[in-house]
Structures are given as C-alpha cells and as structure tokens.
Amino acid sequence: MVEETHNFWRVIPVTDSFILGAPIKVTDSEVFKTQYKKPYKKIRINNRLRSQIRLLLAKRGLVNSDPSIRIEAVNTLIKKPDTTLYAVIQERLANEKNADILEKLRLLNAMLALNHPTSKRFESSIEHLSKSLEPSSLTSLNQFLEKHPSHKQALAAVKAIEEKKHLYSLLENGFFGLSMGSVLVLAAIGLAITFGVMGVINMAHGELIMIGAYTTFVIQQLMPQFIGISIIVAIPAAFVVAALVGITMERLVIQYLKGRPLETLLATFGISLLLQQTVRSIFSPLNRTVVTPDWLSGVFTINPVFGLTINRLAIIFFCLVLFGLLWWWMRRSRLGLQVRAVSQNRSMAEALGVNADRVDMLTFGLGAGIAGVAGVALSLISNVGPNMGQGYIIDSFIVVVFGGVGNLFGTLLAGLSLGVANKWLEPFAGAVLAKILLLIFIILFIQKRPQGLFPAKGRAQEMAQ
C-alpha cells in the first residue's frame, strides 16, 4: 500500500495485522524519496486485482462489529477459500457468537482444513462438507482427492453431493416446466373454450397473445414512473383490448363461416398475417422489452444449487388463479351455463331459448381476452415481437387436443404435464428432439383416445361417437 506525504512516499506493508484492523507503525527506514522523474506507473484494474481486493475486504470484514458485514465476508471467502486464513478462521470460531455466522465459519473451516498442510482432521471435515451443496465444498473435496485418490470417505462424499445436485437439477427443470406449462395453459385455455363451443380453428390465436404483450409494453411506456404497478394495470387492459379484437373478428368474419372449418382456418390465418403486419407498421419489426417490476425480480433461494425465480412463480400463481376464476364463472354464472349448454348440444340449447349467436360472440371475446392476458405473462419472460405468438399456436392446439376439446381441467393438466415433460427431456434429447418426441407421444395417444384425456360430455358428443 502506498501513501503520499508532501514530497515523500511512505510505503506501508500490507500484512494480516493491517487487514484485520490492528495499528501498525511506520519507521524511518520505510520512508524514502524518489530519485526518478516518473518512477511509478498507473495501476490498471483487472479481474485479478478486483478478486484480490474483494478477498482483502472480506478478510477485514471478519472482525467487523456488524453481523451483516461479517456474514457477507464469510460468504465471499466460502466462494473462494484461502488456506492462508486457516489460523484466522480458527480464532474467529472461538470468538463468534452469531449462530448463522458460526455455522458458515465451520463450513469454511472444513474447506480450509481439508487441504491445509498442518491439518489432520480429514474425517470430520469430509463429513461436514458432504452435507453442504456449496460449489466450493465439492471443489475442496476434488482437490483433496487429487492428493488422496483412493480415500473412500471423500469419494462417498463427492458421490452424495453429485446425487443431491442431480435431484435438485430435476426439481429445477420441473419448476421451469411448470412455468412453461402455465404459459401454455394461459395460451390454450381461451382456445379450448372457443374451439369447444364454436368448433372454430382460430389460427390468429397467437396474434391475440401478441396483442396482449404489446398492450403491456404500451402501458409501461405511458406510465414509466410507475413500473411497479404497470403489470397490474396491463392485465385488465390486455384482456379488454384482445377481447375487442376477438369480438371484431367474430362479427366481421367468423360468424359467416360457421360449419366450414377449412374456410375458417384460411380466413383466420389471413387475419393473423394482417395483425402481424399492422403491429410491424405501428411498432416496427424490432423486438420490444417489457421491464420486470422490482417486486417480480430476484430469486427465492432454497439452497446454493436450487432457487425459484419470482417472476416464474408469479406466472404459475397467476395461471392457477385465472383458472380458478374461469372455472367458477363457468359453473356459477348464467352466461357460463349457456356456454356449456351450447358446447354440449347447440340445437337443444337454441330450442330452449338460448341465443347461440350471442353466446358465440361473447365466448370468442372471452377466449381472445384470456389470450391477451397470456401475452402479459409471456412478456415477463421473453421479448415482445410481431412473431411471438406463432411459437405458441401449435403448442396450444396440442394442449387442447391432448386435454380434451372444451374441457378446462383437461387443458390445465395437459398444459402443465407437457411443459414439465418437455423440460425434463431437453437435457437428454435437446430442445428440438424433445418436442419431436412429445409430438410422437401425442399422435400415439390420440390414436388410442381420440377425444383426449377428458372427453366432452353431452348427447351431441355421444351421438357423434
């Protein structure tokens, strides 16, 4: 460490006593006058120097009176153990009173003791490290095995840690699969309603998801100072905008093509291209980014190798809440009863006085609105672009067919199970092959059960069989 005083340079040796805050004295022999015009060069900051500075600060933080600083210092040293600190950690173990810090100090001490030349307590250190999932624990054990390759206890500890990491890796993939499946459920649930009631193959459903995502982007642009509540405002806004677009589609095009599925498919495909080009003209072809609010950011850490991202947790929770509300509405409301009646037997429902055209319009608007809400959720985990809906339209149809046309519970179960299965297959087969394998499974399953997991009930369906 170098300190300038008038025309002299006082050189202070950086020692452990200085790092730990103990006073040091500067003798006359440590003071000298430079004889060169430019004796010193500017110190360049690089990653190696930053690492050394962090290590020095962590060493000094071990004796800080603030427990939060001490635990941060121990966490830093755990990530990069330094065997020169072995004696210091031994001293801190005797003086530390905080239980949480003491536990971390014991873990750090086990890491250092395992590879310190003066330590002989290998068995207790290995046992302690075998219970830890810190990456440095496994590193310390592997370094020990380089010197003692046949040590049975160390080999068993490494195997135990690897098995735990593999288990948590499966759980993490399952969590990612649930979040992906939740997006699929949100995307497919509106399609399940419209397909089940009207029998319409809506190829523009992905663009309704896109409209919901762009609505979220616009809301954030209109209220940049309130990013925290912009997502909450965007949910009803996206529902209304997408529902209005869906009702317009139904009134202007789809109602005139009932009973002609091929023409409906072609017409909705043309509408999807029109909506994509409209968005390109308004927002440009470039992707847009929706800012994730602070209350949806971060990770809920379970242990050093397993954490749950808060935004994906929110998507899963939101999916379940929306599904519950829709389930209640279908069972308790008058319009929900009419929707179920029309989906089961349209002619009988009309004979009983149900306005099937009005039910079709409102049902299509409801399905489009839910697709818009799916766009809000999707904007939190991916960029917003004109083509974002195309990646979900095929998956949505697969979910609807696999779960059972018009069955909400089947859609929920199919979406979540396909999402989890896809994420579990990806590490072994890759993303593309995983989708192919799932598609093959769906084809074989439909051959066995053409009506999906939960077949639709009703006299019309029974007669169709």
Side-chain angles (χ1 to χ4, degrees), residues 198-211:
M198 305 170 62
V200 172
I201 303 176
N202 181 17
M203 295 301 294
H205 192 76
E207 279 58 48
L208 296 172
I209 297 174
M210 173 197 69
I211 288 173

Side-chain angles (χ1 to χ4, degrees), residues 122-181:
F122 294 150
E123 287 74 13
S124 60
S125 297
I126 292 173
E127 183 179 358
H128 197 98
L129 293 177
S130 65
K131 301 175 183 177
S132 171
L133 289 173
E134 287 285 349
S136 299
S137 299
L138 186 59
T139 302
S140 299
L141 287 168
N142 287 327
Q143 290 174 352
F144 176 79
L145 284 172
E146 290 177 2
K147 303 175 184 177
H148 309 84
S150 59
H151 199 286
K152 294 182 179 180
Q153 186 183 7
L155 291 170
V158 170
K159 182 179 179 181
I161 293 176
E162 293 288 356
E163 288 176 351
K164 291 178 184 177
K165 289 179 63 178
H166 179 67
L167 173 62
Y168 282 112
S169 176
L170 291 177
L171 291 177
E172 185 178 53
N173 286 333
F175 170 69
F176 287 149
L178 283 177
S179 63
M180 177 184 174

Side-chain angles (χ1 to χ4, degrees), residues 143-294:
Q143 290 174 352
F144 176 79
L145 284 172
E146 290 177 2
K147 303 175 184 177
H148 309 84
S150 59
H151 199 286
K152 294 182 179 180
Q153 186 183 7
L155 291 170
V158 170
K159 182 179 179 181
I161 293 176
E162 293 288 356
E163 288 176 351
K164 291 178 184 177
K165 289 179 63 178
H166 179 67
L167 173 62
Y168 282 112
S169 176
L170 291 177
L171 291 177
E172 185 178 53
N173 286 333
F175 170 69
F176 287 149
L178 283 177
S179 63
M180 177 184 174
S182 298
V183 174
L184 286 177
V185 171
L186 291 172
I189 199 167
L191 191 63
I193 296 173
T194 55
F195 194 28
V197 174
M198 305 170 62
V200 172
I201 303 176
N202 181 17
M203 295 301 294
H205 192 76
E207 279 58 48
L208 296 172
I209 297 174
M210 173 197 69
I211 288 173
Y214 271 103
T215 302
T216 308
F217 171 74
V218 171
I219 292 293
Q220 285 199 343
Q221 297 301 306
L222 294 177
M223 45 191 307
Q225 304 300 324
F226 304 96
I227 296 296
I229 63 172
S230 61
I231 297 297
I232 298 176
V233 175
I235 292 173
F239 180 87
V240 172
V241 173
L244 291 176
V245 173
I247 290 174
T248 303
M249 287 170 52
E250 198 277 336
R251 289 290 90 185
L252 296 181
V253 178
I254 295 175
Q255 71 163 330
Y256 301 109
L257 299 176
K258 291 178 183 178
R260 290 179 282 178
L262 181 59
E263 294 180 20
T264 305
L265 186 149
L266 294 175
T268 53
F269 180 71
I271 293 173
S272 72
L273 297 178
L274 176 63
L275 291 175
Q276 288 182 38
Q277 189 57 45
T278 301
V279 167
R280 288 191 182 93
S281 301
I282 297 175
F283 297 99
S284 84
L286 301 177
N287 288 341
R288 304 294 182 173
T289 301
V290 171
V291 179
T292 303
D294 292 338

